Each structure stands twice: as structure tokens, then as C-alpha cells.
Amino acid sequence: MLKRLLTADEEELLKAERRQLTVLRAPLASLDASDEDMAVLERSLLQLDELFLLVIVGEFNSGKTAFINALLGERFLTEGVTPTTAAIHLIRYGEEATQTAGAATAYGPGDREIVVVTYPVDWLREINIVDTPGTNAVIRKHEQITTEFVPRADLILFVTSADRPFTESERQFIEKIRDWGKKVVFVVNKIDIHETADVAHVLQFVHENAAALLGREPIVFGVAARQARQAKETLDADERTRLWAASRFEPLERYILETLDEQERLRLKLANPLGVAQRLVEKYLQVAQARRELLKADVQTVRTIEAQLGAYEADMRRDFRYHLSHVDNVLYGMSQRGDNFFDETIRLQRIFDLINADRVRGMFEREVIADTPAQVEAQTRDLIDWLVDQDYRQWQAVMDYLNKRIARHDDHLVGEVGGAFETNRQQLIESVGRAAREVVATYDHAAEARELGDSVQRAVAQTALVEVGAVGLGAILVKVLAATLADVTGVLAAGAIAAMGFYIIPNKRRRAKLDLQDKIEDLRGRLARALTGQFEGEMAGSLARLREAMRPYTRFVETQQASLVDTEKALQEAHDGLAKLAAAIDAL
């Protein structure tokens, strides 16, 4: 990194900084940090092993190249009034003065074209200088090159022109530099175009504006770089003295070559990667916070849908009991007719009717059973239609809610919270809505009701121990009721011949009533169990399908919440660790 050996404390600081920068990779990666930001972090690690890097920035025609030529002592780099620096110029020590375009260096990717300049002055053995294109270059690519190179700097010399100091584009560029936490020294060039009093006014103007932008006391030098170069080039001692004094270049040159001694360069070399890392930590803490806020809405989405499903289940259970009561009412009506039938039929006056079992059976079918099978089948069909319709409506409700959720989504959050995260999240939200849409689009109400009705028929047949065949629910109930009829009328026929007393007849009537009530209650239980079983199965299946459709989204939200907790903890620990390191480095 630097020529001299580090002390034990300095070596420990260097190791600690490497650890902090290395550990920072994981939380940034978990937040889908951009390739650019990850590359900046990697370059910051590499910077610790490079020579001190002094980066010269400023608008084109501010005199950046003239300033560097003044440092070198001759007009070695091309100067001009148009944007002459179209690429990065890396100036370092060499036995001879050379310029090589397209050379690969440790300061950028292999495909970066950099003009490597070598020059035989001793102070370049420990400092590399970078001359960048203008920040307001007409060719926007030049400005991009300058912006991308700033994070690599250990110290930035910002050159502005005395004839137009602190333009708006310069303000904007300094704000970017400030965000990277870089130390900036301001150089006001071309002061030779003003009178002494005017120069003082310009320097004060730059000082005040720089302090306001950076939030700290700035270092400002006023120079005439061209006069300084001319002073070094001229052979006339008097002219050299005059030009050198007029250029006011000596304080700035002394600052670069003497004040920036090994200890100060070490401090800046260690501090600048920390500034980059701190900026990245702050940026991605905001990303994590933005994700957390967005996930709050996702958690609420999951909770809302789950609450809807809970309310749907409760409503369905309540309404199912209401629909089931209609079936009960049909059987209750048959029970009432049975009681009336026995009161009217099992009497001594009708003893001859009772002896004719077929006649009694016919009367019982007409007056008691009547249209009970048809009514039960109709009520059951209504219940099935209701169940199918509610299932359909619930899928529609989920679909409509998710469509509104997607419509309220703010597209600008994509860049704030990270592309991969937002893409996955959006796809999962849409997948639930898509599943709902597919269910709704392919929903065949008649087919669903028919399939459910067949299932109810099979369940009733199984509980009644009869064959289904190709008959409907009504036919199954007729078979069940026929068995009930046989049992009840059998009670009447068995004692008909002996029914000659006032004692026997009332007992037969009471027994017939109780027997009928037991049979009807048994039938009601069979229907209730069959219908309830189908209801529970259908409702559980519907809820399971909805929850299964939501599971990837739900799992994503849960996983991201857990991951964010760990990531924010890691970033906060990095933030605190970097702050401690920064304090230790400042103490150097």
C-alpha cells in the first residue's frame, strides 16, 4: 500500500478494515445490491493495496490539465479550450515520459481503456494522479467516466475556474462526491484574470459555498497554473521569481508534496474505503427499510385474505345450518302428517281399514310420505347450488382483492427495494391472482353441482345401505321411506285382528307414532350426516386450494421478513464497526 512499514496498530487497523469490507458483501448481496455497488466495494478492498490516488476533477476548460502540467513542471499533457481529456489519464512514476493508451490497470476492469502516463519525478513514486474528463463535458460518456472514477480516489482536487466559480453543474457534482464521503480540496484556477481584491472575493465565495455543501470547513487554494508552469520552464531567474509569486502555486504544491506526508496519506488511504463502505451501508439500510415497509403491506394482504377465509368459513357454517334446517322442516312436516294420520286411522271405528294392510300402506304413502322425497331432493339441490356458488364467489373475492392490491403497487419502489426482490414478490402476488382467475374462468357451475349431488347421493345410499344405480336422491329416499312404511304399517297389521278393545288401539297408535318418529329421526340423521360430510369436505377443499395458491407468496413474505431481520442486524453492526474504525483512523 505504502512504502514504509506499518506500525503494529496501523497494521491492525488495516486488517480490521479488510474484515469490515469483506463482511459487508453478504448483507449487500442479500439485498440484491447492484453490480455497480458490489464492484465499488470490491474496488475499495483493492484500493488498500494501491498507491495513494489523487484524482483531479472539474468542468472542462477549468484548467485541470494545466494544473497537472504545473506540478510536472512542463507542458507534457495536451491543454486546450475544448474538452481535450476524453479518457482517464493515470499519471505515475516512470524512468521516461511516456503515454500508452488502452493499458489495463488495477484501478478498473480489464476492458477499461485508460491512458497510462509515466513521468520521472520522485514524488510520483508514492502518489498516482488521475486526470478525468470534464464534469460538464458535451460528450456525456466523458462525464460518466469521471463519475465512475470518483469512488476510487483517496483525495480529490476539485478544480474550478476563477471566471465562473461554483457553477450549478459543479454544485451537483460536489454533492455526489460528498455522498461518497471523500475528502475534497478546492483549487480555484486562473486567478491571474482578476485583480487581487477580486481574487479574495472569489476565494471567499468558493469557501462559503463549499462549506455549505460539505458541512465542514473546506481547504481552498487560489492558483494560476499556467504561470506556475511557465515559472518552472523559464531560464530567467527574475522572470521565474515573478511568475512563481504571481501564480500563488507554492502553498498548494507544498500541501500535496509535504503536508500529504506518509502518515496523512495512510490516514486518507484507510479512510476513503471506509467512506465508500459507510455510504453503501446507509444506502442499503434504506433499501432494507423500504423492503420492510413494503412487506408490511404484504403481511397485511396475507392477513386480510386469511381473515376473509375465516369469515367465509364462519358464514358458511352458519348458513349451512340454515339450509339444512329446510331439509329438517320437510321431514318435520312428514312427522306431523304421520301423527295426524295415526290419530285419524288407528281408531276402533276404522278397524276394518286396519285389517287391510295394502290399503293402510297406500293411505300412508299418499297422506304421510306424499311428496317428501321430491321436497328433500329440491332442498338438497338448493343447498348444493348454494355451496357451489359460494365457493365460486370466494375465489372471485380473492381475485378482485389481489387485482386491487396489484393496481395500488407503486412502480417506483422497484428501484428502491431491489429488482430481484420486487420481481419475485410481484410475480408471487400475481400467481395467486392468476390461480384465482383460472379457477373462476374454468368454473362449470352445473358440472360442479352435478358432481357434488352425485357425491351426496352416494353418501346417503351408504348410510341407508341401499344401492344407488342410476336413480336420484328422491328415489333413494323412497327406498328408505318404504322400509319405514313397512315397519310402521307392520305394526298396524300385526295387531289388527286383535284390535277389538279400547286398551289395544291406543297402545298401537302410541307405538306407531313413536316408531315413525324414530324412523324419521334416523332418516334425518342420515341426511344430515351425508350433507354435513359433503359440506365439510367441499369447504375444506376450497380453503385448501386457496391457501395452496397463496403458499408461495406467503412463504416468500415470511422468508423475507426473517432474512431482513438478519440483514438489518448485519448492516447495523457494520455501521457501528465502520464508525469505530473511522474514529481510530482519524486519531492517526
Side-chain angles (χ1 to χ4, degrees), residues 445-494:
H445 188 284
E448 293 285 339
R450 184 168 55 253
E451 181 178 344
L452 184 55
D454 292 343
S455 183
V456 170
Q457 290 174 20
R458 288 191 295 271
V460 172
Q462 289 168 3
T463 61
L465 301 177
V466 299
E467 294 295 330
V468 178
V471 299
L473 180 61
I476 294 172
L477 291 176
V478 168
K479 288 188 177 184
V480 177
L481 292 173
T484 300
L485 171 64
D487 291 339
V488 174
T489 55
V491 170
L492 301 180

Side-chain angles (χ1 to χ4, degrees), residues 9 20 30 94 159 186 201 214 222 224 229 250-251 360 370 409 500 583:
D9 289 343
Q20 285 289 349
S30 69
V159 180
F186 293 87
H201 179 73
L214 297 178
R229 174 182 53 79
E250 184 175 357
V360 172
H409 170 67
M500 293 298 182

Side-chain angles (χ1 to χ4, degrees), residues 199-444:
V199 169
H201 179 73
V202 169
L203 294 179
Q204 182 63 27
F205 174 78
V206 171
H207 186 280
E208 291 174 355
N209 280 273
L213 275 174
L214 297 178
R216 60 178 179 270
E217 194 69 14
I219 298 175
V220 181
F221 293 97
V223 300
R226 192 164 297 173
Q227 285 185 333
R229 174 182 53 79
Q230 291 170 349
K232 291 182 178 182
E233 289 177 327
T234 186
L235 298 178
D236 187 295
D238 292 338
E239 180 66 6
R240 180 168 59 251
T241 300
R242 184 188 70 79
L243 288 172
W244 186 248
S247 72
R248 298 170 64 170
F249 201 78
E250 184 175 357
L252 174 57
E253 188 171 67
R254 190 184 314 118
Y255 174 83
I256 294 173
L257 303 182
E258 297 178 16
T259 305
L260 286 180
D261 58 10
E262 288 185 334
Q263 186 70 14
E264 178 63 9
R265 292 200 300 274
L266 170 65
R267 191 187 69 77
L268 289 173
K269 170 61 72 174
L270 293 175
N272 276 293
L274 284 187
V276 171
Q278 286 172 320
R279 177 185 180 277
L280 290 173
V281 167
E282 291 170 1
K283 174 181 178 180
Y284 284 96
L285 276 172
Q286 293 178 354
V287 169
Q289 182 179 0
R291 284 195 181 184
R292 190 173 62 250
E293 290 300 316
L294 191 57
L295 282 173
K296 284 182 181 179
D298 292 318
V299 170
Q300 187 58 46
T301 296
V302 172
R303 288 176 178 172
T304 298
I305 292 178
E306 194 59 42
Q308 285 181 352
L309 297 183
Y312 165 68
E313 186 175 3
D315 290 344
M316 288 292 285
R317 292 188 183 282
R318 183 189 64 246
D319 293 344
F320 173 73
R321 290 192 295 270
Y322 169 74
H323 283 276
L324 192 59
S325 69
H326 291 175
V327 178
D328 287 341
N329 289 340
V330 173
L331 297 178
Y332 176 74
M334 187 175 72
S335 175
Q336 289 294 101
R337 293 195 300 275
D339 280 351
N340 295 335
F341 174 80
F342 293 131
D343 286 339
E344 291 294 327
T345 304
I346 305 180
R347 293 184 298 167
L348 189 60
Q349 293 89 333
R350 302 190 64 172
I351 188 63
F352 294 105
D353 290 334
L354 296 176
I355 293 174
N356 189 339
D358 290 337
R359 180 180 175 83
V360 172
R361 186 177 293 111
M363 293 169 57
F364 188 84
E365 289 180 353
R366 289 190 304 274
E367 298 178 22
V368 177
I369 295 179
D371 62 346
T372 297
Q375 287 190 49
V376 169
E377 186 161 15
Q379 292 297 336
T380 303
R381 189 165 51 249
D382 288 345
L383 189 152
I384 290 172
D385 285 341
W386 164 79
L387 184 59
V388 171
D389 186 60
Q390 290 304 306
D391 183 44
Y392 173 76
R393 289 176 181 273
Q394 186 58 28
W395 279 93
Q396 277 191 317
V398 171
M399 180 185 68
D400 292 344
Y401 179 78
L402 286 170
N403 284 340
K404 291 177 182 177
R405 177 81 177 94
I406 294 170
R408 289 196 301 268
H409 170 67
D410 293 327
D411 289 336
H412 70 274
L413 287 175
V414 174
E416 294 180 5
V417 301
F421 164 84
E422 179 58 22
T423 299
N424 291 338
R425 173 185 164 277
Q426 189 71 358
Q427 287 176 347
L428 289 169
I429 292 177
E430 291 176 350
S431 72
V432 183
R434 185 166 55 252
R437 285 193 297 274
E438 288 172 356
V439 169
V440 171
T442 59
Y443 216 87
D444 188 335

Side-chain angles (χ1 to χ4, degrees), residues 56-67 80-82 131-136 157-165 170 187-191 223 225-226:
I56 315 296
V57 298
E59 292 190 345
F60 79 84
N61 203 32
S62 62
K64 300 189 304 299
T65 305
F67 166 75
V81 295
T82 58
D131 185 17
T132 62
T135 60
N136 63 334
L157 288 186
F158 193 94
V159 180
T160 186
S161 178
D163 60 345
R164 44 180 175 75
E170 287 179 325
V187 178
V188 182
N189 194 18
K190 304 180 184 179
I191 61 171
V223 300
R226 192 164 297 173

Side-chain angles (χ1 to χ4, degrees), residues 88-101:
I88 295 292
H89 283 70
L90 173 61
I91 306 163
R92 60 191 186 189
Y93 177 80
E95 295 296 334
E96 298 179 356
T98 64
Q99 295 190 40
T100 306

